[in-house]
Amino acid sequence: MSSEETVEYATEHSPRLHWAQHAPEVYKAMIRLDAAARQGLDPKLYELVKIRASQINRCAFCLDMHTKDALAAGESVERIVQLSAWEESRHFYTGKELAAIELTEAITVLTDGFVPDEVYDRAAKHFDEAELARLIAAITVINAWNRFGVTTRMVPGHYRPGQHR
């Protein structure tokens, strides 16, 4: 491509609704819940969980946010890129991270109506009960954020690391 050529990207969509402006108490409660769930969890692990749930739920806004926050926390581009294919890229992650990612998928996709015992047990081997409770909360919170994002069509691409903390 020559320097004179311009690339025309698709037009950015508009959000359906700025939900946080119309439900500020709900938004503030979500921020507090998210902050409480984050306490005591490794920042990189926390962001990997957020990214994986957002990939599954196809929340572009949350993917934009959490990949940027993961990079700011020192996560590598390679591990973020491989996350959507983690089962084939297991060697990029620790046993603890794999247990968290697998638990994230089980909680996010409840097609069988429950989290399988073996998935829960693997996570319980890597996390003490308090840490596991916060991990479950973090996974639950990102799934709620994803639902706000995809329902209201929040626009990705404008987030700056740490902006919503």
Side-chain angles (χ1 to χ4, degrees), residues 34 46-67 83-84 101 104-105 108-109 138-150:
D34 202 4
Y46 173 83
E47 295 301 338
L48 289 175
V49 162
K50 300 286 187 166
I51 293 166
R52 186 64 193 126
S54 299
Q55 288 171 336
I56 294 165
N57 290 324
R58 301 177 60 181
C59 184
F61 180 85
C62 293
L63 281 168
D64 179 51
M65 174 189 296
H66 294 293
T67 55
L83 191 54
S84 64
I101 294 164
T104 300
E105 289 196 2
T108 301
V109 184
I139 296 166
T140 301
V141 173
I142 189 56
N143 274 280
W145 283 122
N146 290 164
R147 279 140 181 84
F148 284 119
V150 298

Side-chain angles (χ1 to χ4, degrees), residues 44-56 63 66-67 70 75-90 92-94 97-102 104-105:
K44 290 183 196 178
L45 175 81
Y46 173 83
E47 295 301 338
L48 289 175
V49 162
K50 300 286 187 166
I51 293 166
R52 186 64 193 126
S54 299
Q55 288 171 336
I56 294 165
L63 281 168
H66 294 293
T67 55
E75 187 53 81
S76 73
V77 170
E78 187 173 46
R79 284 171 30 107
I80 293 169
V81 168
Q82 291 299 318
L83 191 54
S84 64
W86 67 270
E87 290 173 300
E88 304 244 352
S89 305
R90 298 176 72 82
F92 285 89
Y93 308 99
T94 67
E97 290 167 337
L98 289 168
I101 294 164
E102 187 177 24
T104 300
E105 289 196 2

